[in-house]
Amino acid sequence: MKAVGIVVEYNPFHNGHLYQVEQAKQATHADVVIAIMSASFLQRGEPAIVSKWFRTEMALSRGVDIVLELPYIYSTQKAETFANGAIAILKEVGVEYINFGSESGDVDSFNQLSDFMHEHKDEFDQLVKKHIKKGYSYPRATTAAFQDLHPASNMLSLTEPNNILGFHYIKAIRDQHASIKATTTLRKQAQYHDAFVTGHAIASATSIRKALMDKDINEISHVMPEETFSLLNEYQRSYQLLHTWEHYFNMLQYKILSTPLTELRSIYECEEGLEYRMKDLIKDSMSFTELMERFKTKRYTWTRLQRLLTHILTNTTKTEMEEACSTYKPPYIRLLGMTQNGRSYLNKTKSDREVPIITKFSKASGIQKQIEERVTNIYLSPLKKEHFIKEMKQEFSRSPIILNH
Amino acid sequence: MKAVGIVVEYNPFHNGHLYQVEQAKQATHADVVIAIMSASFLQRGEPAIVSKWFRTEMALSRGVDIVLELPYIYSTQKAETFANGAIAILKEVGVEYINFGSESGDVDSFNQLSDFMHEHKDEFDQLVKKHIKKGYSYPRATTAAFQDLHPASNMLSLTEPNNILGFHYIKAIRDQHASIKATTTLRKQAQYHDAFVTGHAIASATSIRKALMDKDINEISHVMPEETFSLLNEYQRSYQLLHTWEHYFNMLQYKILSTPLTELRSIYECEEGLEYRMKDLIKDSMSFTELMERFKTKRYTWTRLQRLLTHILTNTTKTEMEEACSTYKPPYIRLLGMTQNGRSYLNKTKSDREVPIITKFSKASGIQKQIEERVTNIYLSPLKKEHFIKEMKQEFSRSPIILNH
């Protein structure tokens, strides 16, 4: 059996994702689609609107065969680390292909870019450092460094978010000596950052989340499969919230107020005196959004700062992250769900794997597990006490979701 | 001018307190009454129901001339440390007398007890250790040790809470070589732990708080001065809460879930593996009360464990507390409020004082200030954001309350 891997957040699963799953299968003639899905907190440094279990079910009901957890130590990271964590898992489960969405749609252009960057690596790193010194943010510095290298005019641009991720997948495959072939799907219509849902069947996840928070959920039913729609409704009905940063603002505020500066400084990604600004701003910010608007500087992107605040909320230190990410070889891989087709694949390929795929969290171990447990508990904290207690218990004992179709 | 000092929590100020203020003046013929009042968290390890400012106003409106803050480093402590902190302040402000309420009402019996305990100090300490080893709680061990010493049958009993405090005031005066004369007022009618408010004009603060939380505030108006009554109403109307532990339970839960065991162990009063029990119990406790009921053991009293949880909430470490309490000489004394009579006293005695009395918190410094600021911010956290922000700002800039009467 042949597998194609995809790296996803599904926050929530929508028609654009459905299109990608179909394209990935068509382009590779794969028998199974394996999604590596971020668990509780996402790359932009924010909580997933619904739990990983609900998002797993959305995926399985629409073409994904296996959902594996991308743990916190990789899910809330810059593109390079994020991609390396995901590729390490895909390598372990033996996928033949990876498919990713991109603004380009042409995989050759990614390979050319990868070769070009490989040749100019040292020069590029020097240029990035130079621009950072000028006070540029990291993404702006990499864009400027890239342009300084005078790439050919038809070279893929490293300024689009999905191109950057794609580039890092290919780089990670090369660095980890993985035998995974890359394919890409042209992203349809919606741009990643589009703010509003339109009449089209495809809308960005950002615009869908905005619509979910602001207005009637029924107004956006046309941009997602009915399973997503009904699962979102069910989550909201059962737990009476869709997770946003505002639900965690009281905890964040308490954390920053109660933690001495020296300790804040030990948190992952807390650099260059950001702890002073946080201590200062938290005292008179009415909401998370207000805090972020005031926290933002030229030097640091919104995303970078949101990730820092996520690490503060989850109390994740530099030492811990260094230990947990010291190798990209995962200590275990957690299975969140599968179809019968996915189950066959996992059974048939079992003997090829070095890393155990665990079906119960109680089988996890080591620092990755320790961090994941803490982060999950914090993610669940805004729920009502009875739900919170139940979900925390189930997290340890529950089996993966299995869909029979 | 002659001053009498009293050590108080006023949670809230009631007719029993009013009676004590009057008795303290009568017994000592003092011109001014100086109250050392706990700020935000109290000896039993719980938040004060209303802010120190409201409680200061209650006191000033009914006979107290000066209210000085007992900082957190002393207010949430066992009797011995609590008494030492309070006596150190009273010594600095030069009171001639201290008055305390007691179940005995006879100051000679305290002096006899103090002499007796001074003579049998080493023996007593040995006996306490022996009983602790057997698994007794600290208060139970001291009671048993006291009985082992075979005190005369008419000797004051060290089993009543206010006798214990009284004993420690007198011991602290002796240990600190303070020239303060002790007087005591027999507590009227209500027992410290009485659960219900009766028809009498005097009820325990415990029963008053219970009534405040459970029923209509009007039902207890007869047990407190009208100023207290109207200030309680005003607080509730303005801030929409009276502080209880339940308001802090989410923060406590988040703190315990997000903090590694090694770090919990560094918190003041966290001993003998209590961190494991907390981590375990917090996962499925629906409320603070439920947590406490399950946390309670033979070995530790309710009060002792509530104090531990307060230190966890305020993130107060052993190292910090050791540094802050290394000497009972306060680095500064904070004035919360005074009458004109109180102001005259402070002006006249200014040249006698070594320790500065500060009128603005921005003048405070050192580790005591650092802890107090953090604790105050956490105490204010359950308020609505707009109140929280305002109160945190005012805490730094506001002047003491001055009552002209």
Side-chain angles (χ1 to χ4, degrees):
Chain A
M1 285 173 98
K2 242 176 16 180
V4 58
I6 53 181
V7 186
V8 304
E9 294 191 329
Y10 291 162
N11 191 39
F13 188 93
H14 57 60
N15 290 345
H17 298 127
L18 180 61
Y19 173 77
Q20 194 214 350
V21 172
E22 286 162 357
Q23 288 293 307
K25 269 189 177 164
Q26 267 186 29
T28 62
H29 302 288
D31 307 295
V32 291
V33 178
I34 302 181
I36 311 298
M37 190 182 80
S38 302
S40 303
F41 289 91
L42 309 179
Q43 216 218 332
R44 284 163 58 81
E46 58 197 10
I49 54 169
V50 299
S51 77
K52 59 189 174 195
W53 303 107
F54 274 68
R55 282 146 56 229
T56 295
E57 204 170 330
M58 292 172 189
L60 295 177
S61 64
R62 285 296 173 134
V64 173
D65 297 291
I66 296 169
V67 180
L68 303 172
E69 178 175 273
L70 183 67
Y72 180 76
I73 57 169
Y74 301 121
S75 73
T76 308
Q77 292 275 13
K78 63 178 179 186
E80 187 172 0
T81 317
F82 178 90
N84 265 300
I87 293 297
I89 297 175
L90 286 176
K91 184 184 167 190
E92 284 302 327
V93 293
V95 297
E96 193 166 330
Y97 296 98
I98 181 175
N99 181 274
F100 52 86
S102 68
E103 290 84 359
S104 139
D106 169 22
V107 79
D108 287 338
S109 66
F110 279 92
N111 289 323
Q112 279 161 26
L113 175 66
S114 175
D115 292 341
F116 176 81
M117 293 299 285
H118 191 70
E119 280 158 31
H120 297 80
K121 192 182 174 313
D122 293 343
E123 203 182 335
F124 179 75
D125 289 349
Q126 291 292 329
L127 288 164
V128 170
K129 266 185 206 157
K130 191 188 88 184
H131 290 298
I132 293 263
K133 261 195 191 150
K134 286 196 324 211
Y136 280 20
S137 70
Y138 183 78
R140 196 173 160 206
T142 54
T143 303
F146 181 69
Q147 280 155 356
D148 291 348
L149 293 176
H150 300 293
S153 60
N154 63 346
M155 180 73 73
L156 186 73
S157 163
L158 258 189
T159 56
E160 300 286 343
N162 284 283
N163 284 352
I164 295 173
L165 266 176
F167 166 74
H168 281 292
Y169 292 136
I170 288 175
K171 186 169 178 300
I173 289 170
R174 187 195 286 247
D175 293 349
Q176 295 185 33
H177 310 290
S179 57
I180 300 173
K181 282 167 259 173
T183 61
T184 186
T185 298
L186 180 65
R187 287 170 62 86
K188 284 187 78 170
Q189 291 170 337
Q191 295 297 305
Y192 185 63
H193 290 300
D194 272 3
F196 302 104
V197 172
T198 64
H200 291 114
I202 292 187
S204 74
T206 307
S207 67
I208 292 173
R209 287 195 299 277
K210 192 169 159 34
L212 276 172
M213 303 306 164
D214 293 352
K215 27 181 166 167
D216 188 356
I217 188 169
N218 293 304
E219 283 186 38
I220 51 169
S221 61
H222 64 288
V223 298
M224 57 185 73
E226 55 185 304
E227 290 85 355
T228 293
F229 184 70
S230 92
L231 283 161
L232 285 176
N233 269 309
E234 189 189 328
Y235 198 91
Q236 205 158 26
R237 204 173 47 243
S238 307
Y239 300 108
Q240 280 143 54
L241 83 163
L242 295 176
H243 301 245
T244 72
W245 245 118
E246 298 301 348
H247 294 108
Y248 300 86
F249 184 56
N250 278 346
M251 283 181 257
L252 179 72
Q253 184 178 266
Y254 163 71
K255 172 71 185 173
I256 296 174
L257 286 173
S258 65
T259 307
L261 286 165
T262 47
E263 230 180 280
L264 284 180
R265 216 168 288 146
S266 74
I267 299 291
Y268 185 61
E269 299 228 57
C270 187
E271 275 152 31
E272 296 182 326
L274 285 172
E275 68 275 20
Y276 293 96
R277 297 202 54 229
M278 281 190 284
K279 272 266 185 201
D280 195 40
L281 294 174
I282 200 69
K283 282 187 186 158
D284 49 4
S285 293
M286 292 281 288
S287 67
F288 181 78
T289 312
E290 190 190 324
L291 171 68
M292 275 303 300
E293 271 156 10
R294 298 168 67 205
F295 197 17
K296 177 83 190 59
T297 61
K298 261 194 198 167
R299 178 84 171 202
Y300 294 103
T301 60
W302 184 283
T303 301
R304 166 74 175 73
L305 294 176
Q306 275 203 163
R307 278 202 296 262
L308 167 59
L309 293 176
T310 305
H311 299 314
I312 298 238
L313 178 73
T314 60
N315 198 20
T316 305
T317 63
K318 288 169 181 154
T319 323
E320 266 185 319
M321 209 54 128
E322 206 173 296
E323 189 188 337
C325 298
S326 60
T327 160
Y328 286 122
K329 188 156 185 96
Y332 63 85
I333 296 169
R334 186 170 184 195
L335 177 66
L336 295 178
M338 58 188 171
T339 59
Q340 290 303 345
N341 190 36
R343 186 203 286 259
S344 306
Y345 176 83
L346 289 179
N347 284 337
K348 282 187 184 143
T349 53
K350 195 169 182 179
S351 57
D352 305 337
R353 285 193 299 273
E354 292 172 18
V355 174
I357 292 192
I358 63 166
T359 53
K360 289 220 164 92
F361 190 50
S362 51
K363 299 272 171 60
S365 62
I367 183 138
Q368 179 177 316
K369 182 236 175 183
Q370 215 175 296
I371 297 177
E372 204 59 32
E373 181 184 351
R374 190 175 71 221
V375 167
T376 307
N377 288 343
I378 293 168
Y379 175 77
L380 296 171
S381 292
L383 299 185
K384 284 192 174 176
K385 285 284 169 286
E386 61 264 36
H387 296 138
F388 174 62
I389 293 171
K390 198 175 132 219
E391 291 295 320
M392 279 209 295
K393 273 193 187 145
Q394 286 199 344
E395 182 64 18
F396 266 83
S397 57
R398 74 179 287 171
S399 299
I401 295 171
I402 299 179
L403 245 65
N404 296 304
H405 72 96
Chain B
M1 285 173 97
K2 239 175 15 180
V4 58
I6 54 181
V7 186
V8 304
E9 295 192 328
Y10 291 160
N11 191 38
F13 188 93
H14 58 59
N15 289 346
H17 298 128
L18 181 60
Y19 173 77
Q20 192 213 350
V21 172
E22 287 162 357
Q23 288 294 308
K25 268 190 177 163
Q26 268 187 30
T28 61
H29 302 287
D31 308 294
V32 289
V33 178
I34 302 181
I36 311 299
M37 190 181 78
S38 301
S40 303
F41 289 90
L42 309 179
Q43 215 219 332
R44 285 163 56 81
E46 58 197 9
I49 55 169
V50 298
S51 77
K52 60 189 174 198
W53 302 108
F54 275 68
R55 281 148 54 231
T56 295
E57 204 170 329
M58 292 172 190
L60 294 178
S61 64
R62 285 295 174 136
V64 173
D65 297 291
I66 296 169
V67 180
L68 303 172
E69 178 175 272
L70 184 67
Y72 180 75
I73 57 168
Y74 301 121
S75 73
T76 308
Q77 292 274 14
K78 62 178 180 186
E80 187 173 0
T81 317
F82 178 91
N84 265 302
I87 292 296
I89 298 175
L90 286 177
K91 183 183 169 191
E92 285 302 327
V93 293
V95 297
E96 192 166 331
Y97 295 97
I98 181 176
N99 181 275
F100 52 86
S102 68
E103 291 85 358
S104 139
D106 168 25
V107 80
D108 288 338
S109 65
F110 279 93
N111 289 324
Q112 278 160 26
L113 176 66
S114 176
D115 292 342
F116 176 80
M117 292 299 285
H118 193 67
E119 281 159 31
H120 296 82
K121 193 183 175 313
D122 294 341
E123 201 182 337
F124 179 75
D125 290 348
Q126 292 291 329
L127 287 165
V128 169
K129 266 186 206 156
K130 191 189 86 182
H131 290 297
I132 293 265
K133 262 197 191 148
K134 287 197 323 212
Y136 280 20
S137 70
Y138 183 77
R140 195 173 161 207
T142 55
T143 303
F146 181 68
Q147 280 154 356
D148 291 349
L149 292 176
H150 300 292
S153 60
N154 63 347
M155 178 76 72
L156 186 71
S157 164
L158 257 189
T159 57
E160 300 285 345
N162 285 283
N163 284 353
I164 295 174
L165 266 176
F167 165 73
H168 281 293
Y169 292 136
I170 289 176
K171 185 168 180 299
I173 289 169
R174 186 194 287 247
D175 292 348
Q176 293 184 34
H177 311 288
S179 56
I180 299 173
K181 282 167 259 172
T183 61
T184 186
T185 299
L186 179 65
R187 287 169 63 85
K188 282 188 77 170
Q189 290 169 338
Q191 294 298 305
Y192 185 63
H193 290 301
D194 272 2
F196 301 104
V197 173
T198 64
H200 291 114
I202 291 188
S204 74
T206 308
S207 67
I208 292 172
R209 286 194 299 277
K210 192 169 158 32
L212 276 172
M213 302 307 164
D214 294 352
K215 29 182 166 167
D216 189 357
I217 190 168
N218 293 305
E219 285 186 36
I220 51 171
S221 61
H222 64 288
V223 298
M224 57 185 75
E226 56 185 306
E227 290 85 354
T228 293
F229 185 70
S230 93
L231 283 162
L232 285 176
N233 269 311
E234 189 190 329
Y235 198 90
Q236 205 158 27
R237 205 172 46 243
S238 306
Y239 300 107
Q240 280 143 57
L241 84 163
L242 295 175
H243 301 246
T244 72
W245 244 117
E246 298 301 347
H247 294 108
Y248 300 86
F249 184 57
N250 278 348
M251 282 181 259
L252 179 71
Q253 184 177 263
Y254 164 72
K255 172 70 184 174
I256 296 175
L257 286 174
S258 66
T259 308
L261 286 164
T262 47
E263 229 180 281
L264 284 179
R265 215 168 289 146
S266 74
I267 298 292
Y268 185 61
E269 299 229 58
C270 187
E271 274 153 32
E272 297 182 325
L274 285 171
E275 68 275 19
Y276 293 97
R277 297 201 55 229
M278 281 190 282
K279 272 265 185 201
D280 196 40
L281 294 174
I282 200 70
K283 283 186 186 159
D284 49 4
S285 294
M286 293 281 290
S287 66
F288 181 77
T289 311
E290 190 190 324
L291 171 68
M292 276 302 300
E293 271 157 11
R294 299 169 66 206
F295 198 17
K296 178 83 189 62
T297 61
K298 263 193 196 168
R299 177 85 173 202
Y300 294 103
T301 61
W302 184 284
T303 301
R304 165 76 174 73
L305 294 176
Q306 274 202 165
R307 280 202 295 262
L308 167 59
L309 293 176
T310 306
H311 298 314
I312 298 237
L313 178 74
T314 60
N315 198 20
T316 306
T317 63
K318 288 170 182 155
T319 324
E320 267 185 320
M321 208 57 126
E322 206 173 297
E323 189 187 337
C325 297
S326 60
T327 159
Y328 287 122
K329 190 158 184 93
Y332 62 84
I333 296 169
R334 187 169 183 195
L335 177 65
L336 295 178
M338 58 189 172
T339 58
Q340 290 303 346
N341 189 35
R343 187 202 285 260
S344 306
Y345 175 83
L346 289 179
N347 283 338
K348 282 188 185 142
T349 54
K350 195 169 181 177
S351 57
D352 305 336
R353 284 192 298 275
E354 292 173 17
V355 173
I357 292 190
I358 63 166
T359 53
K360 289 220 163 88
F361 191 50
S362 51
K363 300 271 170 62
S365 63
I367 184 142
Q368 180 177 315
K369 183 236 176 183
Q370 216 174 296
I371 297 176
E372 203 60 31
E373 180 184 352
R374 191 176 70 222
V375 167
T376 307
N377 288 343
I378 293 168
Y379 175 77
L380 296 171
S381 290
L383 299 184
K384 284 193 174 177
K385 286 282 168 288
E386 61 264 35
H387 295 137
F388 173 63
I389 293 171
K390 199 177 131 217
E391 291 295 320
M392 281 208 295
K393 272 193 188 145
Q394 285 198 344
E395 182 63 18
F396 266 83
S397 56
R398 74 179 287 171
S399 299
I401 296 171
I402 298 178
L403 245 66
N404 296 305
H405 71 96

